[in-house]
Amino acid sequence: MLTRRTLARDAKIEGIGLHTGKMVHMHLRPAPSGSGIVFVRTDLDHAEIPATLAHVGPSFYATVIGREEVTVSTIEHLMAALYALQIDDVRVELDGPEVPVMDGSSRPFVDALRKAGSSEHDEPRQYITIIRPVSVSHDEKRVAIYPCSEFRVTYAIDFDHPRLGYQELTAGLWGQRAFDEKLAPARTFTFERDVQALQREGLALGGSLDNAVVIGDEGILNQELRFPDEFVRHKMLDLTGDLSLLGHPVRGHVVAYRAGHDMHLRLAKRILECGDCWYLAPWSGAGMNHEAAAGA
Ligand SMILES: [Zn+2]
């Protein structure tokens, strides 16, 4: 049986927050088996917020968790990295209201987590195995999950913009190597006009070409993209981070069309509500594809 894991050593990460533009110091520590991922605001009396669906607040531009007025935002890129590296139990201490944005991708988190290494607990890891489809839709936006032996994602985006348009990708995301190669480097993206509107409201003050791909009316303002389809890859990264709030890794195939954080989180909630659509059990890893097994 695959067992739960925590970090072998502490990991420290620092950088500016996207919205405040202020420096945030983050300190990830090993945690006991079964504790899950817990964020701790060291600047607010060490208030603790477990990274679970029960603590998710309104999440549109970024995924936000909160408890009793204390929040932590933009957790999704770190959560995706923890999910991909199969690290279940970590205490994430930080001295500000948001996880550092870094370069807008998951890669800096993957690098820091890998440097810290992981250590196995004795307790088996429980997996959510989907046995019946679950879906949510809103206007044209749709997201569903179907039975599948591994964690697989098909994602399509369709923006009315000449440089963006329609992009789709399917990828099996089991194992670190698949995530590293396919999703981790993909940066968040935004439209120049949205950045200007947010900054007028005092938000996105830390936003720059160093931490996002910015799309202007004429084209992309950054020097170059990391993948021709970096946009849809980033959406898959966000989805991975959002589904990790279920608290257990998922064996199922997600199919998403024009979705975003709000839709991802609605799907996760619907999965929890549909008790006969899945079961929870340890897993031997049998059936995991070769590439994934080598990376895990
Ligand atoms: Zn994102």
Side-chain angles (χ1 to χ4, degrees):
M1 290 297 146
L2 300 172
T3 57
R4 293 180 73 90
R5 285 192 211 179
T6 186
L7 293 176
R9 286 175 293 278
D10 289 12
K12 287 188 177 174
I13 301 166
E14 55 183 37
I16 59 163
L18 177 63
H19 285 302
T20 58
K22 291 192 179 142
M23 197 61 147
V24 185
H25 304 87
M26 200 161 67
H27 191 157
L28 284 71
R29 299 177 188 273
S33 188
S35 58
I37 312 295
V38 179
F39 286 80
V40 181
R41 286 285 302 271
T42 56
D43 56 326
L44 291 177
D45 241 358
H46 287 75
E48 297 187 359
I49 312 169
T52 65
L53 281 178
H55 296 98
V56 168
S59 302
F60 295 97
Y61 289 105
T63 303
V64 181
I65 52 170
R67 186 154 86 167
E68 293 166 4
E69 310 293 310
V70 178
T71 60
V72 177
S73 74
T74 327
I75 63 167
E76 61 272 23
H77 306 158
L78 171 63
M79 292 298 294
L82 289 164
Y83 185 93
L85 272 66
Q86 298 172 44
I87 296 171
D88 309 279
D89 301 304
V90 182
R91 188 175 164 89
V92 184
E93 298 179 351
L94 74 177
D95 60 357
E98 52 186 334
V99 170
V101 64
M102 312 307 287
D103 67 353
S105 80
S106 282
R107 194 161 63 184
F109 300 123
V110 168
D111 292 346
L113 294 170
R114 189 157 282 151
K115 203 170 137 201
S118 66
S119 138
E120 287 191 5
H121 287 307
D122 294 333
E123 194 183 345
R125 180 187 294 124
Q126 304 277 339
Y127 289 79
I128 291 176
T129 299
I130 301 291
I131 50 173
R132 290 205 180 90
V134 183
S135 64
V136 290
S137 63
H138 179 71
D139 298 331
E140 280 198 306
K141 302 171 183 175
R142 279 159 208 280
V143 57
I145 189 165
Y146 301 93
C148 182
S149 61
E150 60 167 5
F151 179 51
R152 177 169 285 271
V153 176
T154 296
Y155 213 115
I157 56 173
D158 196 1
F159 286 89
D160 184 18
H161 189 284
R163 280 306 303 272
L164 216 49
Y166 182 82
Q167 293 187 340
E168 66 163 70
L169 185 67
T170 295
L173 296 174
W174 213 273
Q176 300 171 16
R177 195 183 302 165
F179 183 80
D180 273 9
E181 290 175 0
K182 294 171 184 171
L183 303 192
R187 293 162 296 171
T188 194
F189 60 94
T190 183
F191 292 94
E192 190 178 18
R193 56 176 183 268
D194 292 346
V195 177
Q196 289 161 348
L198 283 170
Q199 289 182 338
R200 278 196 294 275
E201 291 177 40
L203 296 168
L205 298 176
S208 77
L209 294 179
D210 293 332
N211 51 41
V213 178
V214 181
I215 305 153
D217 292 335
E218 306 295 321
I220 291 160
L221 306 188
N222 307 63
Q223 292 282 321
E224 56 191 23
L225 294 177
R226 292 178 177 175
F227 304 95
D229 57 354
E230 186 167 356
F231 309 106
V232 73
R233 287 172 191 256
H234 187 81
K235 287 290 205 173
M236 294 164 83
L237 188 165
D238 280 344
L239 172 78
T240 303
D242 290 340
L243 286 190
S244 77
L245 293 168
L246 283 163
H248 305 279
V250 180
R251 299 174 65 203
H253 184 166
V254 182
V255 179
Y257 176 72
R258 299 186 74 160
H261 292 300
D262 184 46
M263 294 297 290
H264 303 160
L265 294 165
R266 277 208 237 173
L267 176 70
K269 285 178 186 159
R270 187 67 60 85
I271 291 171
L272 280 194
E273 285 161 11
C274 182
D276 58 356
C277 295
W278 50 275
Y279 65 86
L280 192 65
W283 184 40
S284 66
M288 190 188 277
N289 69 45
H290 180 70
E291 177 206 55

